[in-house]
Amino acid sequence: MARVSWTLLFLLFLAAAKFSAGQVETPTPPNTAVINTHGKRTTFSCKNNDGNYTTCVATCPSKCSRKCIVACPDCRTFCFCDLFPGTVCGDPRFTGGDGNIFYFHGHKDGDFCLLSDPNLHINAHFIGKHNPALNRDFTWVQALGIMFGDNHQFYIGVQKTATWSDESDRLIITFDGEPVDIPAELNARWVSSSIPALSITRTANANGVILELSGVFTIMANAVPITEEESRIHNYGVGPDDSLAHLDLSFKFHSLSDSVDGVLGQTYRPDYINKLNVSKKMPVMGNSPRFVSSSIFSTDCKAAQFGNGGNSEIAMVTGSGDA
């Protein structure tokens, strides 16, 4: 039952994300909007279907540090990172395929296998700051290296940024080693000439995209900085030379095998048993050496499944299964 409700919320979010973070109009259908909160308690008015009168006024929760999702007509509000399985935010906080939240710290300047399946492999590159008091690194996901099908490689990352501006696009995107250029405007879309099922759509004028391989995955990526307030509260140590810009991510997978593995991937296995203490404030997934990759496009982690067999659905989508 929980999986069904999370899936519905995910679909709601994907629809909402097609609208600019700065817009406050009520799109229909579905009747949702995404608001950029910038850490402030932003309000939003829901209107009836004809737009003639206000049905209620929603206030974004104060815990929504960057984005708030409003669902009308009853003014339900959600934070970007609190919604559904497949979310990776902040000092990486994961929501697994089983709906449980956990942390995976890894270490700065390292690459880790988030998900590995016979025809799909996703690594994450971590940046970070060392915290001597905790004897570990504060870490964030700076980039993804995605491998699929017949050795296709997709990269999305955030450039190191001293002073952050929401209007300046800091995303770097490449496909099979070639830069991907998308106009800096809401809803601008790029479609691969070699794989028409692969597309990228901007969810804002800058720093937000949805990557989709039809029938395989949908990945929402938002480039965000660590704010001065966040640094003060958590003692991250952000300085004037680096805003620690990173990716907040949401994954939706459509055709995973039962052998899927990785930090996040293992939580989608039908036989996965969560052994973390979910009653803790910060349940931490350990065993990080098992997920270490030698580089962003390496499939040499101990949890790797990539190339082990194959998925005919992905082969058809990418064209590698053509005669």
Side-chain angles (χ1 to χ4, degrees):
M1 187 70 180
R3 285 182 181 271
V4 173
S5 61
W6 284 122
T7 300
L8 289 175
L9 285 175
F10 185 87
L11 293 174
L12 168 67
F13 181 71
L14 284 183
K18 294 179 181 178
F19 298 88
S20 170
Q23 286 182 307
V24 291
E25 62 202 46
T26 307
T28 56
N31 213 359
T32 58
V34 179
I35 303 174
N36 195 339
T37 65
H38 293 292
K40 301 175 182 178
R41 292 179 63 82
T42 308
T43 59
F44 176 84
S45 297
C46 286
K47 297 184 181 297
N48 72 324
N49 289 335
D50 295 327
N52 295 328
Y53 62 89
T54 299
T55 59
C56 61
V57 177
T59 301
C60 289
S62 57
K63 66 178 181 177
C64 298
S65 61
R66 297 186 182 93
K67 295 182 187 297
C68 170
I69 301 170
V70 180
C72 298
D74 56 356
C75 288
R76 290 174 297 158
T77 57
F78 310 93
C79 296
F80 177 93
C81 294
D82 290 346
L83 281 180
F84 34 72
T87 302
V88 181
C89 291
D91 180 11
R93 183 185 67 183
F94 291 72
T95 303
D98 60 348
N100 286 310
I101 293 174
F102 64 91
Y103 289 78
F104 177 81
H105 299 306
H107 57 80
K108 66 177 181 177
D109 302 322
D111 297 288
F112 297 89
C113 168
L114 295 192
L115 181 141
S116 190
D117 214 26
N119 265 84
L120 176 63
H121 188 98
I122 301 176
N123 285 337
H125 180 76
F126 284 16
I127 56 171
K129 285 275 191 176
H130 186 66
N131 187 327
L134 297 178
N135 196 30
R136 72 168 180 88
D137 296 336
F138 288 126
T139 51
W140 299 270
V141 174
Q142 179 267 335
L144 294 181
I146 305 169
M147 290 143 281
F148 59 89
D150 189 17
N151 297 317
H152 292 293
Q153 296 183 343
F154 182 91
Y155 174 91
I156 179 168
V158 189
Q159 299 177 65
K160 183 176 179 180
T161 306
T163 303
W164 183 264
S165 169
D166 286 334
E167 286 69 45
S168 178
D169 191 54
R170 305 301 292 167
L171 290 174
I172 301 174
I173 303 173
T174 68
F175 176 55
D176 287 345
E178 297 295 326
V180 173
D181 285 327
I182 312 175
E185 57 187 47
L186 175 65
N187 292 328
R189 191 165 185 260
W190 170 90
V191 178
S192 169
S193 58
S194 59
I195 304 176
L198 179 66
S199 66
I200 307 168
T201 305
R202 285 198 184 271
T203 58
N205 292 337
N207 299 312
V209 295
I210 291 177
L211 165 66
E212 183 173 18
L213 183 59
S214 181
V216 180
F217 58 71
T218 303
I219 301 173
M220 180 175 294
N222 285 281
V224 292
I226 294 297
T227 65
E228 291 183 5
E229 180 69 4
E230 288 174 317
S231 182
R232 183 187 66 79
I233 293 173
H234 300 288
N235 196 29
Y236 287 145
V238 172
D241 61 331
D242 190 359
S243 63
L244 294 175
H246 61 279
L247 293 172
D248 278 348
L249 299 155
S250 175
F251 299 89
K252 177 67 174 179
F253 303 106
H254 305 287
S255 57
L256 296 176
S257 75
D258 290 348
S259 64
V260 63
D261 211 332
V263 176
L264 178 64
Q266 64 184 326
T267 66
Y268 287 87
R269 295 174 70 129
D271 60 351
Y272 176 70
I273 298 175
N274 188 338
K275 297 180 180 179
L276 300 176
N277 186 349
V278 295
S279 64
K280 285 187 175 181
K281 184 177 180 180
M282 288 184 65
V284 177
M285 180 175 291
N287 200 18
S288 62
R290 184 168 178 267
F291 306 112
V292 171
S293 293
S294 59
S295 68
I296 192 73
F297 284 122
S298 292
T299 58
D300 54 2
C301 67
K302 294 180 181 178
Q305 300 294 314
F306 192 68
N308 180 19
N311 186 315
S312 59
E313 292 183 29
I314 295 181
M316 292 174 64
V317 167
T318 61
S320 59
D322 293 343

